[in-house]
Amino acid sequence: MRHSSVSSSKGCKLATTATPDMFSLFRATCDAAPDAPFLIGEDGAVLTYAGARARSAQLAHAFRNAGVQPGDRIAIQVEKSQTALLTWLAALQAGAVYLPLNTAYTIGEVRYFLGDASPALVLCRPADEPAMAALCAELGVPALLTLDADGSGGSLIEAAAGQPTAFDHARVQPDGLAAILYTSGTTGRSKGAMLSHANLASNALTLREYWRFTGDDRLLHALPIFHTHGLFVATNTTIAAGSAMIFLPKFDADALVRLMPQASVLMGVPTFYTRLLGHPGFTRELAEGVRLFVSGSAPLSAETHKEFNALTGQAILERYGMTETNMNTSNPYDGQRRPGSVGFPLPGVALRIADPDSAAALPQGEIGVIEVKGANVFGGYWQMPEKTREEFRADGFFITGDLGFIDADGYVHIVGRAKDLIIAGGFNIYPAEVEAALDEIPGIAESAVIGVAHPDMGEAVVAVVKVTDAGLDQTAVLAALTDRIARFKQPRAVVTVDELPRNAMGKVQKALLRETYGALFAKT
Ligand code: AMP
């Protein structure tokens, strides 16, 4: 993919003739605007691009001194902090492959990742050091460093202190490996998605243009940084544009409301938006200075989209991507941001809807599996050549496993994961359609629809709903659905809960729901 020269509003020219590697992208921004803010703390303290370059160079020396060579993996399981983010830039300078791990993973789960990826270095929380040291000894991981929760202490900080503030950036090829991100692995073994510099940099440059990022932007960052959304979509796009991030340790609606007047962009998962809508301090006036609200990682309900629009006058921009592909589609910057839709394929991304079995392309409007191809799409799963082959078509399209259709105007809609498809009495039922109908019922805050084994039907539809109206029981919900969706799609059981179980990215944990309610129709 070729990019022409683009100027940011600060007049810094980021000229790229071919997709650069990720560190070159960062360096180009540093050279163009060294004094521009990169990270802004909750207290307003600013770390400039030049400052971030110097600190990450020191961290890169610490990595190199610990034995990390270009191509080696660095596994990271630490709390979110500015230093934690700088380890990404440090790994890039050292030519290492970055492997961030969800902070919620137990030591038993981490064993699998370390055994699979054989990193040269592990960076962990100080409290985990004894258990991690034993694990590293068992698995032959040669180096272990620690970093504390606010990023100011730990053996990494000691190792970086006094190191040179410049690092001779390891030369890497654009198609060289930049990161391995393990998929959340709701079924079977978690797989390591291998992401190249070109995958990441091309997507960052595309998003910079599509979402109009400039050096004037301040992105309110409250996402975790072990996942593609907070680490790559937010951070790499910021770097590509020379923007700044107001960097919060975690999501906190009060902090978001307090800092929103300083921000021009918010990137969030749908839960951010439902929580903001429930916050008394979130008003139209507060949202006015924000030019762009982005949502992704899980479906944003059309109801939330409309409610947000009614309150603020602004339309949330929903986009769709995944760990393996970076971002695939986005609603338009100008033009209609359609509720319930993830928008159009991004420039450079080919997207088609295919029959899951025959792989034949399906006509517009029909539901099938979403397949994508482009510079954004990963090269394969770490040490899983067969799994990789299974998930690519012969012509190079990646089979996402998401089911969707393209409407008459070209907008892509997602109706669920292939594995979540419910087949009841021979009929296909798409959970997203039933969830949308449930969400429209006054008194239902949110819903999740699953298929549960049923003696007659094979599977039966079960709705798990969070209600704001305590009087809304199964009978009332089913009555409200009568004219909304066909009889065969209606739930056989409606369960009310206080909260839907969600993972760190706001995705409803349907596997957990299936486990909990799996025996609902079992014959006793
Ligand atoms: P992850 O690899 O953790 O980012 O998860 C990727 C998956 O999240 C996709 O395959 C989709 O199933 C889902 N996803 C991401 N964005 C959206 C969206 N805007 N609407 C619906 N599902 C989404």
Side-chain angles (χ1 to χ4, degrees):
M1 189 195 276
R2 290 179 72 84
H3 297 273
S4 52
S5 148
V6 183
S7 359
S8 83
S9 65
K10 284 242 179 336
C12 80
K13 285 240 169 212
L14 300 175
T16 50
T17 49
T19 305
D21 69 85
M22 271 311 304
F23 189 74
S24 299
L25 200 59
F26 174 70
R27 193 175 45 196
T29 298
C30 291
D31 289 345
D35 300 328
F38 174 46
L39 297 179
I40 303 171
E42 271 189 276
D43 58 357
V46 168
L47 180 67
T48 63
Y49 273 88
R53 186 176 183 175
R55 276 180 61 186
S56 59
Q58 292 185 308
L59 296 170
H61 282 288
F63 289 160
R64 182 58 46 81
N65 294 342
V68 174
Q69 295 302 317
D72 283 346
R73 274 79 56 210
I74 299 181
I76 312 254
Q77 191 189 34
V78 295
E79 299 304 333
K80 181 180 176 185
S81 67
Q82 293 196 6
T83 310
L85 186 76
L86 296 180
T87 63
W88 163 229
L89 300 174
L92 289 173
Q93 292 191 63
V97 178
Y98 199 66
L99 199 168
L101 293 170
N102 191 323
T103 44
Y105 287 147
T106 62
I107 199 89
E109 288 168 315
V110 171
R111 169 182 277 108
Y112 165 72
F113 299 113
L114 301 191
D116 193 50
S118 324
L121 171 78
V122 172
L123 180 67
C124 73
R125 292 168 283 212
D128 295 337
E129 192 178 10
M132 203 68 87
L135 192 57
C136 287
E138 177 192 327
L139 298 172
V141 176
L144 175 66
L145 290 171
T146 61
L147 182 66
D148 70 8
D150 71 3
S152 63
S155 54
L156 173 65
I157 300 299
E158 287 159 27
Q163 291 297 318
T165 52
F167 188 92
D168 190 12
H169 166 215
R171 301 275 154 256
V172 290
Q173 293 303 315
D175 61 359
L177 202 51
I180 298 176
L181 260 59
Y182 280 86
T183 57
S184 35
T186 43
T187 51
R189 280 171 69 200
S190 185
K191 295 164 287 189
M194 297 192 289
L195 294 155
S196 71
H197 288 270
N199 294 151
L200 301 176
S202 66
N203 212 232
L205 292 166
T206 299
L207 296 177
R208 177 184 75 182
E209 303 308 304
Y210 209 76
W211 294 341
R212 315 257 173 99
F213 268 67
T214 73
D216 289 334
D217 276 311
R218 302 282 175 272
L219 184 151
L220 200 44
H221 193 299
L223 292 159
I225 52 170
F226 52 71
H227 184 269
T228 185
H229 196 167
L231 182 62
F232 296 148
V233 187
T235 304
N236 293 347
T237 306
T238 294
I239 288 172
S243 317
M245 296 193 282
I246 304 168
F247 211 61
L248 304 182
K250 60 176 180 11
F251 174 78
D252 167 14
D254 291 335
L256 243 55
V257 164
R258 182 160 37 82
L259 294 166
M260 200 165 287
Q262 298 170 32
S264 62
V265 179
L266 175 67
M267 267 185 207
V269 296
T271 333
F272 282 25
Y273 295 104
T274 50
R275 298 268 173 86
L276 279 175
L277 285 169
H279 193 290
F282 185 64
T283 60
R284 193 183 192 98
E285 294 68 40
L286 194 75
E288 245 157 29
V290 178
R291 69 169 183 88
L292 180 62
F293 290 97
V294 181
S295 177
S297 289
L300 177 76
S301 81
E303 289 309 300
T304 304
H305 193 291
K306 289 176 194 157
E307 229 185 286
F308 193 91
N309 188 243
L311 178 74
T312 64
Q314 300 203 47
I316 299 173
L317 181 152
E318 187 171 9
R319 93 307 180 268
Y320 156 62
M322 59 197 300
T323 302
E324 290 93 329
T325 63
N326 299 287
M327 296 305 100
N328 293 312
T329 73
S330 170
N331 270 279
Y333 192 83
D334 295 323
Q336 195 204 4
R337 299 178 189 165
R338 197 164 279 190
S341 154
V342 294
F344 305 114
L346 285 163
V349 179
L351 182 148
R352 68 186 180 200
I353 307 290
D355 182 297
D357 301 320
S358 71
L362 293 174
Q364 181 270 313
E366 284 193 24
I367 293 175
V369 69
I370 299 173
E371 300 184 353
V372 293
K373 187 175 173 180
N376 55 312
V377 178
F378 78 137
Y381 295 110
W382 174 256
Q383 289 182 334
M384 285 188 176
E386 267 176 36
K387 197 81 207 149
T388 302
R389 263 193 301 279
E390 277 170 22
E391 301 202 10
F392 280 90
R393 300 286 185 204
D395 60 0
F397 274 78
F398 173 64
I399 308 163
T400 63
D402 289 311
L403 295 171
F405 67 93
I406 300 177
D407 72 19
D409 300 317
Y411 286 81
V412 177
H413 296 250
I414 296 177
V415 298
R417 296 282 301 161
K419 65 180 185 328
D420 293 337
L421 175 70
I422 303 168
I423 306 178
F427 288 104
N428 284 2
I429 298 155
Y430 299 99
E433 191 191 349
V434 186
E435 287 158 5
L438 286 162
D439 292 346
E440 280 176 11
I441 300 173
I444 291 189
E446 46 186 17
S447 61
V449 165
I450 52 169
V452 162
H454 188 279
D456 301 326
M457 318 278 296
E459 271 189 304
V461 176
V462 171
V464 185
V465 293
K466 175 179 165 182
V467 291
T468 49
D469 170 0
L472 209 57
D473 59 5
Q474 169 159 318
T475 314
V477 171
L478 292 179
L481 280 180
T482 311
D483 297 325
R484 289 179 204 248
I485 47 171
R487 176 82 190 91
F488 75 92
K489 298 177 189 168
Q490 292 180 13
R492 289 296 160 123
V494 178
V495 184
T496 55
V497 291
D498 291 339
E499 282 302 331
L500 292 175
R502 291 182 183 273
N503 71 9
M505 297 313 296
K507 289 189 218 298
V508 174
Q509 293 170 302
K510 290 202 168 176
L512 188 63
L513 290 178
R514 279 191 285 263
E515 225 172 79
T516 310
Y517 302 108
L520 221 49
F521 303 104
K523 283 189 173 143
T524 47

